Amino acid sequence: MRQRSLIAITAALAAGALTLTACGSRDSGGKGSDSGKGGGTTVTIGVDAPLTGDLSAIGLGIKNSVDLAVNTANKKNYVKGVTFKIEAKDDQAQPSSGQSNATAFVGDNSVLGVVGPLNSSVAQSMQKVFDDAKLVEVSPANTNPALTQGTNWQTSKARPYKSYFRTATTDAIQGPFAAQYVYNTAKKTKVFVIDDKKTYGAGLAATFTDEFKKLGGKVVGTEHINPDTKDYSAVATKVKSSGADVVYYGGEYPQAGPLSKQIKSAGANVPLVGGDGIYDPTFIKLAGSAATGDLATSVGAPVETLPSAKQFVADYKAGGYKEDYAAYGGYSYDSAWAIIEAVKKVVDDNGGKLPSDARAKVTAAVQNVSFDGVTGKVSFDEYGDATNKQLTVYKVDGGAWKAAQSGTYNPSS
Amino acid sequence: MNELPQQLVNGLLLGSMYGLVAIGYTMVYGIVQLINFAHGEIFMTGAFGALTVYAYILPDGTSMWVALPLMLVGAVLVAVLVAVGAERFAYRPLRTAPRLAPLITAIGLSLALQQAVWAWYPEAKSARTFPTIPGGPFTIGNVTIQTGDIFLVVAAPLSMAFLAYFVMRTRTGRGMQATAQDPDTAKLMGVNTDRIIVIAFALGAAFAAVGGVAYGLKYGQIDFKMGFLLGLKAFTAAVLGGIGNIYGAMLGGLVLGVAEALSTAYIANIPGMDKFGSQSWADVWAFVLLILVLLFRPQGLLGERVADRA
């Protein structure tokens, strides 16, 4: 009996080892074949996003949109001799998971670019891993300014990592844009600022506050909430007694929904304003009817209104994806497409095949891409930020987000 | 506006929920000296049991007044089933094992239950919306009570009264007291201790289920992780009140809830403390309070019941 199980284990181990070697040889065989037979190269585009947990609605939208970009490129045979595939990893919105995913992507030689992540705090933990490997990372959603312009971005801008790009605009623009709308258009002057202390939320709340004060508005209270709890009644009561006529929340929809609901039920009938982190249908689902009148800014113009996006929306529907493309679908598609364009350029420059230092070349090529994407013109400035600085204010109306005002941000004073 | 009365009510409501869950910790500990760290997840499965009844069994658009009692039944059923199953398959085999073994099993069970709901409950990968009680809030003076909280206002004292009656006045209740005092002697006197232990688990789970429904109604959403932090708070409440003491559990819960609400509201006003007063510090203050109580009164506010065991 014991011997038989020993044999079984040995057999299993041997089989496992064989499979692993087979994998290895297939990889190197694939690379060898591009010189010989041609047309057999597979390029993997990695996707890192929260595919489970609170933020999965957005994360799955990112994954599906990259998948659509890859399928489109393959169908069109956009880069001759190259077949794209995606490899999606779940970061659960945790910096530690993001970093181990980044390490795994770096270890896979077929990965020439990664789309993601969703969260700025996760991006912080991934940037160096990618940069050391010269592997390009294009985020569709990170908005923290420090990621591209360094921690001292307010005084002296310095790009920390040359391999990091993003198609979304930053909070340095998003916060003030919201402040201008709230003060000038919505005529609210007394704000209560709440954030979740995370990289994204705290950063957004700070840039909003600065601009709001500059415009002449008054901050009547501030609070930091713990994202792990759902009981914000004590905070809601403070909001009510502060006499604020608007609440700004730096954070994401899993907390913003209940927060909005509890503020309204505490008797403070004031709108909650947030950034792209709350611009999601789930926010309305969680806040219920209390969400009516709440505002969110999000990067770019609404995807549905852009002529360039019609095709994307139609293709996405035809793709039969179970989940919605959510807030960053268009940006994710454009992020993936930026990598595809870069791969195309590198392959074309190298006589139709991938060079040995493909990663570094692709990273350099992304810096210079310029094409008409789903969200408008896609190109990057010297920091790796999107040159497209359009933003939109959305308002909850009749149980859905409706675009209230689109525009580009102009600094005041 | 003077917000103190409102903040006290906020704290008492939150505290009632802690209390309901804390009872399960305290009863199981009182009888088998086991800290059932999976109890927070029993609270969570109870909430999902209620949601199942509402979303998949009752026809769409059923009035909440009809649905709520049935949801409660569903919640209690699921939670009791999970708790009794856990007792039978995870804890009973380890009853004579060293103390640490069942504790680790409990932590494992807690993770397993979370992941099971995450993996198999439809759309449970992110938060699911929970039905709410229709109607606007009630206002007494300048204190507002939400319709969702009314359930808690009614259910918490009722549950406590039921428990007091059960433990003090029924045969089984007296059997529980006897087992808590000395299981061996109780067994010699003809008390079926195995049965008593199952009842303690089941009763604790039923209270947790009521808490789970209250959570859903109060916040309008439930998720697979909801039991973790709340379970930890409820355990803290049980220790605060004196673990093993069922009145202590409720009192500990209320004290903890009020402490959290008041620390959020007022600590920032103390000069030099403005950095430590936000809601994200409420948990810290809750644990500071726990440490202080344990320093000066190690047996908890109302005293440990198990302390009188020889």
Side-chain angles (χ1 to χ4, degrees):
Chain A
M1 195 60 198
R2 173 162 296 174
Q3 247 174 355
R4 194 179 295 169
S5 59
L6 242 179
I7 294 169
I9 290 170
T10 323
L13 277 176
L18 279 174
T19 329
L20 283 175
T21 9
C23 281
S25 65
R26 201 185 312 143
D27 266 6
S28 52
K31 251 173 272 141
S33 70
D34 44 302
S35 51
K37 293 157 223 149
T41 316
T42 300
V43 167
T44 306
I45 296 184
V47 178
D48 177 275
L51 305 178
T52 59
D54 284 347
L55 297 169
S56 60
I58 290 184
L60 291 166
I62 293 177
K63 180 191 137 195
N64 292 343
S65 304
V66 175
D67 187 62
L68 181 65
V70 161
N71 288 342
T72 309
N74 287 340
K75 213 179 284 167
K76 284 187 185 164
N77 199 11
Y78 194 72
V79 184
K80 300 234 160 20
V82 171
T83 313
F84 290 96
K85 72 178 180 79
I86 76 159
E87 166 80 39
K89 291 192 191 294
D90 181 10
D91 65 24
Q92 297 168 313
Q94 297 293 329
S96 55
S97 310
Q99 193 173 58
S100 64
N101 291 349
T103 314
F105 282 133
V106 165
D108 178 350
N109 280 327
S110 72
V111 177
L112 290 189
V114 176
V115 177
L118 168 67
N119 305 75
S120 294
S121 50
V122 178
Q124 261 177 339
S125 78
M126 300 172 85
Q127 282 183 314
K128 188 172 185 317
V129 179
F130 284 134
D131 202 60
D132 289 345
K134 298 194 162 48
L135 181 58
V136 71
E137 174 184 23
V138 186
S139 170
N142 297 157
T143 49
N144 190 288
L147 294 172
T148 48
Q149 300 170 9
T151 31
N152 300 322
W153 58 272
Q154 274 153 320
T155 48
S156 61
K157 294 181 182 181
R159 184 176 183 180
Y161 299 106
K162 286 219 169 321
S163 63
Y164 176 86
F165 297 87
R166 59 176 147 204
T167 49
T169 12
T170 70
D171 299 334
I173 297 174
Q174 193 178 178
F177 184 77
Q180 290 186 350
Y181 182 87
V182 169
Y183 190 83
N184 294 334
T185 312
K187 306 280 181 220
K188 307 283 184 193
T189 54
K190 286 182 286 179
V191 69
F192 197 104
V193 181
I194 304 173
D195 71 54
D196 63 0
K197 278 190 158 175
K198 292 204 269 185
T199 313
Y200 164 76
L204 194 57
T207 57
F208 173 90
T209 307
D210 285 350
E211 180 75 13
F212 197 75
K213 279 191 199 150
K214 217 185 276 170
L215 291 166
K218 212 175 142 221
V219 178
V220 294
T222 54
E223 259 295 330
H224 310 284
I225 59 156
N226 175 3
D228 293 330
T229 68
K230 288 279 150 34
D231 194 281
Y232 306 123
S233 51
V235 174
T237 302
K238 280 180 87 171
V239 170
K240 192 194 171 197
S241 59
S242 75
D245 56 12
V246 60
V247 171
Y248 190 82
Y249 177 66
E252 289 140 357
Y253 61 82
Q255 291 75 39
L259 185 63
S260 170
K261 187 178 189 164
Q262 291 177 36
I263 288 173
K264 266 83 158 186
S265 23
N269 212 355
V270 301
L272 181 133
V273 186
D276 53 337
I278 78 165
Y279 173 57
D280 189 276
T282 317
F283 169 78
I284 302 168
K285 212 175 87 187
L286 295 177
S289 57
T292 305
D294 284 353
L295 300 162
T297 52
S298 190
V299 287
V303 159
E304 296 77 5
T305 65
L306 291 165
S308 55
K310 291 240 165 69
Q311 189 65 39
F312 167 75
V313 175
D315 287 351
Y316 195 94
K317 268 200 194 110
Y321 296 107
K322 232 172 70 196
E323 303 87 4
D324 195 62
Y325 52 81
Y328 299 104
Y331 286 95
S332 308
Y333 187 94
D334 284 351
S335 299
W337 205 261
I339 296 171
I340 292 168
E341 285 283 355
V343 170
K344 181 179 166 67
K345 169 118 180 39
V346 169
V347 168
D348 287 352
D349 287 355
N350 197 42
K353 56 178 202 258
L354 276 176
S356 54
D357 58 341
R359 278 185 178 171
K361 287 231 164 78
V362 168
T363 303
V366 168
Q367 183 69 59
N368 299 318
V369 294
S370 176
F371 61 94
D372 290 314
V374 170
T375 57
K377 189 105 185 141
V378 177
S379 60
F380 302 101
D381 66 11
E382 70 264 42
Y383 302 104
D385 282 329
T387 47
N388 181 351
K389 306 234 191 275
Q390 200 167 41
L391 288 138
T392 302
V393 176
Y394 296 86
K395 191 176 201 161
V396 179
D397 183 8
W401 289 106
K402 304 264 164 65
Q405 191 181 59
S406 282
T408 46
Y409 165 68
N410 300 306
S412 66
S413 80
Chain B
M1 177 194 121
N2 178 14
E3 61 177 67
L4 181 63
Q6 180 72 58
Q7 291 291 17
L8 281 174
V9 169
N10 291 344
L12 288 173
L13 287 167
L14 181 63
S16 308
M17 203 152 57
Y18 291 160
L20 282 173
V21 183
I23 286 167
Y25 274 104
T26 239
M27 267 204 311
V28 167
Y29 185 83
I31 287 172
V32 276
Q33 322 271 282
L34 162 76
I35 294 165
N36 179 13
F37 269 123
H39 191 62
E41 273 61 42
I42 288 167
F43 156 84
M44 181 266 295
T45 52
F48 274 93
L51 180 68
T52 308
V53 169
Y54 183 82
Y56 301 107
I57 296 176
L58 294 174
D60 282 350
T62 311
S63 149
M64 269 311 270
W65 304 115
V66 182
L68 194 54
L70 295 171
M71 284 162 67
L72 260 178
V73 172
V76 170
L77 219 62
V78 170
V80 167
L81 224 64
V82 171
V84 170
E87 196 278 331
R88 181 66 192 79
F89 296 108
Y91 300 138
R92 194 181 296 182
L94 294 172
R95 204 174 290 159
T96 52
R99 284 278 170 83
L100 217 48
L103 189 73
I104 291 165
T105 309
I107 292 170
L109 189 66
S110 141
L111 287 172
L113 286 171
Q114 276 187 33
Q115 294 304 313
V117 169
W118 175 84
W120 291 313
Y121 199 87
E123 293 162 56
K125 290 190 171 51
S126 51
R128 287 211 51 165
T129 46
F130 200 87
T132 44
I133 300 176
F138 289 73
T139 309
I140 307 155
N142 55 12
V143 173
T144 311
I145 294 178
Q146 304 309 317
T147 42
D149 291 338
I150 288 175
F151 177 80
L152 205 47
V153 172
V154 177
L158 267 185
S159 306
M160 277 309 292
F162 167 77
L163 191 65
Y165 172 80
F166 183 86
V167 173
M168 294 302 171
R169 294 272 180 267
T170 65
R171 255 182 90 81
T172 320
R174 280 196 284 264
M176 284 173 78
Q177 291 187 56
T179 314
Q181 289 257 329
D182 187 335
D184 295 330
T185 315
K187 203 181 260 174
L188 288 175
M189 298 295 142
V191 177
N192 183 346
T193 47
D194 274 343
R195 208 179 120 244
I196 292 291
I197 291 169
V198 172
I199 289 171
F201 267 93
L203 211 54
F207 279 87
V210 174
V213 173
Y215 182 101
L217 293 171
K218 189 166 165 56
Y219 304 125
Q221 56 166 312
I222 57 173
D223 62 72
F224 69 94
K225 286 181 303 191
M226 64 190 255
F228 177 74
L229 193 67
L230 205 125
L232 208 60
K233 289 285 179 56
F235 170 64
T236 311
V239 175
L240 197 62
I243 192 149
N245 186 322
I246 49 176
Y247 303 109
M250 204 67 203
L251 179 71
L254 294 177
V255 169
L256 201 64
V258 170
E260 282 188 26
L262 294 187
S263 73
T264 306
Y266 296 112
I267 288 214
N269 299 349
I270 301 169
M273 296 289 276
D274 54 326
K275 276 200 167 51
F276 310 110
S278 66
Q279 196 252 353
S280 60
W281 280 83
D283 292 353
V284 176
W285 292 116
F287 286 106
V288 167
L289 177 75
L290 175 71
I291 291 166
L292 285 178
V293 168
L294 293 184
L295 269 179
F296 296 105
R297 204 179 147 73
Q299 68 272 45
L301 293 172
L302 294 189
E304 283 180 59
R305 275 287 290 284
V306 282
D308 43 301
R309 172 185 285 194

